[in-house]
Amino acid sequence: MNRLDPILARRREAVAAARALRPLEALQDAAAAARSVRDFRAALAAPGLSIVAELKRRSPSAGALRPAADAAATARSYYAAGARALSVLTEPEHFGGALEDLAIARAAAPVPVLRKDFVVDPYQIAESRAAGADAILLIVAALGARTAEFVAAAAAAGLHALVEVHDEAELRVALDAGAEIVGINNRNLADLGVDLGVFERLAPLVPRGVLTVAESGVATRADAIRMRRAGADALLVGTALMTAADPALKLREFLA
């Protein structure tokens, strides 16, 4: 069973409920009035290895991570430790997140913030911009043939898109859609297992000029070095930071 499918079904229900409370037109007005975006792509393209540090209270694979994590304090700690961007999980049922966390984190640290969620409707793009997101996660496994449509919609809203792939076929979809930042997820959606070899296999297929982000499974400094040597411009790290006794110290270890 693909673990993504039930999550996507619940997100579609949540979007329908949100749309009933706040029509798209009102949301677009709020998005247009939002503060200017911070350059997520430039942050990842800076010299050296970039870390996108993630606020994630729990996950389907690991359970509770840091249930009481404060969004503002976490964002400030990550920034002080050298994170060039933040990722905020906003999915509530499986990850313990909320859209409010994104706005709080962005106000707490002067770096770009990625909304990490399961985007299934263009409504969520306007919602992300209105909440203060600078970038948005788009998952090819969730969007399929509509990936290009969503990449274009994100760009029109002023957001960078981190386009997530798991295999060669999804990578082709992402590149055909015009992705400028590709996230290669080392996690298998069927059994939630992790294999860092996925990034090593797919990264050489990414054209020069397209940034690569290694996602999932980076737990140690040795893992970070392995991903960097395989071509990663950035690492998106959540579980390893959220479960560390001192998340900031753990982040500094990755960057050492």
Side-chain angles (χ1 to χ4, degrees), residues 178-197:
E180 296 182 348
I181 312 170
V182 170
I184 298 175
N185 196 330
N186 294 308
R187 189 175 301 282
N188 185 303
L189 293 179
D191 61 12
L192 299 183
V194 169
D195 176 11
L196 296 182

Side-chain angles (χ1 to χ4, degrees), residues 11-22 123:
R11 295 315 277 156
R12 292 187 185 97
E13 294 172 2
V15 169
R19 193 189 295 270
L21 293 173
R22 192 179 191 186
Y123 182 92

Side-chain angles (χ1 to χ4, degrees), residues 7-8 14 71 121 159 174 217:
I7 298 176
L8 297 179
D121 191 294
L159 300 174

